[in-house]
Amino acid sequence: MARSFFSSGALSPALALTSASPPPHPNSSTVSISTQSHSTRLHFTTRPALETPAINGAAARVYVVSDLHTDYPENMSWLKSLPYHNGGQNVLLVAGDVAETYQNFLESMSILRDKFDRVFFVPGNHDLWLRRDKIDYLGSLDKLDKLLDACQKLGVETKPSIVGGLGIIPLYSWYHESFDEERDITGIRIPSLAMACKDYHVCRWPDELKNGETSLALYFDSLNDENSGLVEDILKKCTHIISFSHFVPRQELCPEKRMLFYPNLPKVIGSKYLEKRIRAIYGTEGRQSTCHVFGHTHFCWDAVHDGIRYVQAPLAYPRERKRRMNGGEDWLPFCIYSSGDFTERLSPCYWSDYYSVNPRTPDVTQLAPWVARFYSKV
């Protein structure tokens, strides 16, 4: 069964994420953990929020993208072919998974920093993989430290800031299995998380932090506490705010399990602590003129939940783009903010378009036809 599952291309054992077929047409029926023992170089220096006025009266334009995966030559070529967006307030938000190797990360961020006036970044899981780098890291937290050092040297920003009156809030996060609160699919043989998700093997953490457990999600969430003063400053001064993370803050931002080639995907995508932090910023009912950008699942998404707009604009893997399943190419990076306001919704977004007119029914566990053919019953 495992051979047919992986050979289907639904979930590559080397890549950790899955793809789902496009849905039917929409009209069809605080834990505190010390960093001292984790990495001798992991540190975060508080500095005032940079409030940058528009240059020559030009309003800020903000572009978003996630999941660049430039270890793929096709993706690196795409990155190099991007036009220049310089000479004003052209900002790019990169929502994680830039590259697996340090050298590709460095090259990718250097290219982006050259092509945009300002670049912001949050790390994803692939950024912290250790399997191909020739550098002898102490662990994934040590690699995180080195990536942040590289960002500082390149002028890539990782802290909240104000750009031409717009607040930008990067948020650290990691997933935990208990994020998934919907009914599991039973009666079929589903590969274990350790078999399906490479993070369990190619990330290395201190003993007190376990992949998939709340300890790791809470640790990454606690890194945001350092920036609470900068966030408060943004809330006082800005009417428009964009926050962004790599991981998913709400389970509704992923298709239901019966639609997924790997039904247990929701266990390795998101964090309840991330959504809690977002709501602490924007309020339980949201806040007008706010948006949260995320990545990780490679599903294009643009939807509003409880007063907040959630957007994913991934480049994704070359094979996904060829199948026109996920990700994008010609329309990326997506301009989400221009002329002092948010742009129109991203379209087409197969899955968020589908859920805009069809109710979510997670208690229905009968596999979708395109998924069922890959599984044998227990």
Side-chain angles (χ1 to χ4, degrees):
M1 182 267 153
R3 175 181 297 178
S4 64
F5 180 82
F6 288 125
S7 64
S8 72
L11 182 64
S12 167
L15 296 175
L17 282 181
T18 185
S19 304
S21 294
H25 188 276
N27 293 325
S28 67
S29 315
T30 329
V31 172
S32 177
I33 303 175
S34 171
T35 63
Q36 294 301 314
S37 62
H38 303 162
S39 168
T40 57
R41 303 184 64 224
L42 183 61
H43 56 86
F44 298 87
T45 303
T46 303
R47 62 178 183 268
L50 296 174
E51 185 171 358
T52 308
I55 298 177
N56 297 327
R61 288 175 62 89
V62 178
Y63 300 83
V64 298
V65 70
S66 71
D67 303 282
L68 293 172
H69 295 290
T70 57
D71 300 292
Y72 288 92
E74 302 97 319
N75 287 19
M76 183 66 83
S77 296
W78 175 87
L79 194 73
K80 292 178 179 178
S81 71
L82 285 176
Y84 286 86
H85 297 77
N86 303 116
Q89 292 288 330
N90 293 294
V91 181
L92 178 67
L93 310 184
V94 183
D97 275 8
V98 173
E100 179 179 341
T101 69
Y102 179 83
Q103 188 56 45
N104 283 338
F105 177 87
L106 205 62
E107 182 178 0
S108 301
M109 300 310 287
S110 297
I111 292 170
L112 293 175
R113 187 64 187 88
D114 193 39
K115 290 178 179 286
F116 290 84
D117 296 308
R118 295 177 73 171
V119 177
F120 288 77
F121 164 76
V122 292
N125 52 317
H126 282 246
D127 300 312
L128 302 187
W129 283 14
L130 303 177
R131 64 175 181 167
R132 288 179 179 168
D133 266 325
K134 296 180 181 180
I135 301 172
D136 188 17
Y137 297 110
L138 298 175
S140 291
L141 293 181
D142 183 39
K143 186 175 183 182
L144 172 62
D145 190 27
K146 287 180 170 61
L147 295 182
L148 295 178
D149 283 348
C151 285
Q152 186 174 24
K153 292 175 183 177
L154 290 170
V156 173
E157 300 174 58
T158 58
K159 287 181 173 290
S161 186
I162 300 173
V163 183
L166 171 71
I168 297 176
I169 305 175
L171 292 174
Y172 294 96
S173 61
W174 199 270
Y175 60 82
H176 55 99
E177 294 176 24
S178 56
F179 169 78
D180 173 22
E181 296 183 338
E182 294 184 349
R183 186 175 176 182
D184 282 334
I185 303 293
T186 58
I188 60 173
R189 299 183 186 277
I190 302 175
S192 67
L193 294 176
M195 180 181 180
C197 182
K198 273 292 180 182
D199 298 342
Y200 286 78
H201 309 285
V202 297
C203 290
R204 190 166 69 247
W205 310 107
D207 292 341
E208 63 268 33
L209 303 179
K210 303 293 184 183
N211 201 75
E213 296 184 4
T214 57
S215 60
L216 193 56
L218 283 166
Y219 172 79
F220 272 87
D221 181 68
S222 71
L223 299 181
N224 298 302
D225 293 339
E226 184 79 17
N227 299 322
S228 59
L230 302 180
V231 172
E232 290 176 6
D233 192 44
I234 286 173
L235 291 174
K236 291 176 183 177
K237 295 179 178 179
C238 301
T239 57
H240 290 71
I241 303 173
I242 303 175
S243 56
F244 71 107
S245 62
H246 178 65
F247 294 101
V248 182
R250 299 174 66 106
Q251 194 162 356
E252 301 99 315
L253 301 174
C254 180
E256 298 154 77
K257 294 177 183 177
R258 61 193 174 93
M259 307 286 198
L260 298 168
F261 283 124
Y262 185 58
N264 284 340
L265 179 67
K267 300 182 189 301
V268 290
I269 64 170
S271 169
K272 293 186 291 185
Y273 311 111
L274 173 60
E275 175 69 3
K276 183 178 179 180
R277 188 167 290 271
I278 292 169
R279 292 293 157 176
I281 296 171
Y282 298 139
T284 56
E285 297 181 357
R287 175 171 168 159
Q288 190 175 8
S289 301
T290 56
C291 178
H292 184 81
V293 176
F294 63 100
H296 191 56
T297 59
H298 297 191
F299 298 125
C300 302
W301 212 281
D302 196 336
V304 175
H305 292 279
D306 297 329
I308 297 176
R309 182 181 179 185
Y310 294 87
V311 174
Q312 182 175 195
L315 180 61
Y317 302 135
R319 60 183 169 83
E320 292 175 318
R321 297 196 301 276
K322 289 176 183 177
R323 296 176 183 176
R324 296 185 178 182
M325 296 167 70
N326 304 324
E329 212 164 32
D330 297 338
W331 54 273
L332 287 175
F334 174 56
C335 182
I336 199 168
Y337 181 87
S338 180
S339 301
D341 205 354
F342 289 106
T343 57
E344 295 296 318
R345 68 182 301 275
L346 178 59
S347 182
C349 291
Y350 291 115
W351 282 108
S352 57
D353 287 349
Y354 173 76
Y355 285 115
S356 69
V357 294
N358 291 280
R360 190 178 181 87
T361 54
D363 288 336
V364 176
T365 57
Q366 182 177 356
L367 295 177
W370 60 84
V371 177
R373 67 176 182 266
F374 290 111
Y375 286 93
S376 59
K377 295 182 178 180
V378 175

